[in-house]
Amino acid sequence: MKSYLVAAVSGVIFLLAGQVIAADIDAGKKKAEEVCSSCHGVDGNSPVPMFPKIGGQPRTYIAKVLKDYKSGTRKDPVMAGMAAALSADDIENLAFYYSSQSGLQVKR
C-alpha cells in the first residue's frame, strides 16, 4: 500500500513540475507589459480600484479565468477581447508570471 502512495505522490509532483517548467516567466512578463499592464499594472497590482489586483494570485486561477474569458464562459466585453488574442502558451506564461509577483495587501 505504501508503494502505491509513493507512486501516486511522485506522479502528481512530476505532473505539476512539468506544467510549471513549460511556462516561460520572461515571455509572460513581456506579454503582461504589452497587453495587461495598462489596466492591471506590470506587476499585477493596479493602482486603479476598478481593475483587479492579480499579482500573487494562484497560477491555476489566473489561467482558468483567462481561458473562461476566451471561451465566453465568463462574460466581460473588454476582457473577452483581450483574452481572444491570447494563445494557450500566452495564457500559461501570463499565469506563471503574475502568480510569481507579490500581491499588495488590501487596506481595511
Side-chain angles (χ1 to χ4, degrees):
M1 184 67 169
K2 187 176 180 181
S3 62
Y4 289 116
L5 181 60
V6 170
V9 170
S10 298
V12 168
I13 290 170
F14 178 74
L15 235 156
L16 292 175
Q19 289 179 347
V20 171
I21 292 169
D24 182 340
I25 196 165
D26 292 328
K29 181 178 182 180
K30 184 174 190 253
K31 186 59 72 171
E33 290 169 347
E34 294 170 359
V35 178
C36 310
S37 65
S38 61
C39 295
H40 296 288
V42 174
D43 65 353
N45 292 295
S46 174
V48 181
M50 68 182 275
F51 300 120
K53 294 182 186 326
I54 57 176
Q57 292 291 329
R59 178 186 56 81
T60 52
Y61 170 76
I62 295 170
K64 179 176 182 350
V65 168
L66 288 172
K67 289 173 186 174
D68 287 351
Y69 282 128
K70 186 173 177 84
S71 72
T73 302
R74 192 167 180 157
K75 309 284 186 211
D76 181 273
V78 173
M79 282 303 300
M82 295 300 205
L86 299 175
S87 69
D89 284 343
D90 290 338
I91 290 172
E92 291 304 318
N93 294 339
L94 282 165
F96 186 55
Y97 171 70
Y98 276 124
S99 68
S100 73
Q101 301 303 296
S102 295
L104 295 179
Q105 296 296 319
V106 177
K107 295 178 185 173
R108 294 177 190 231

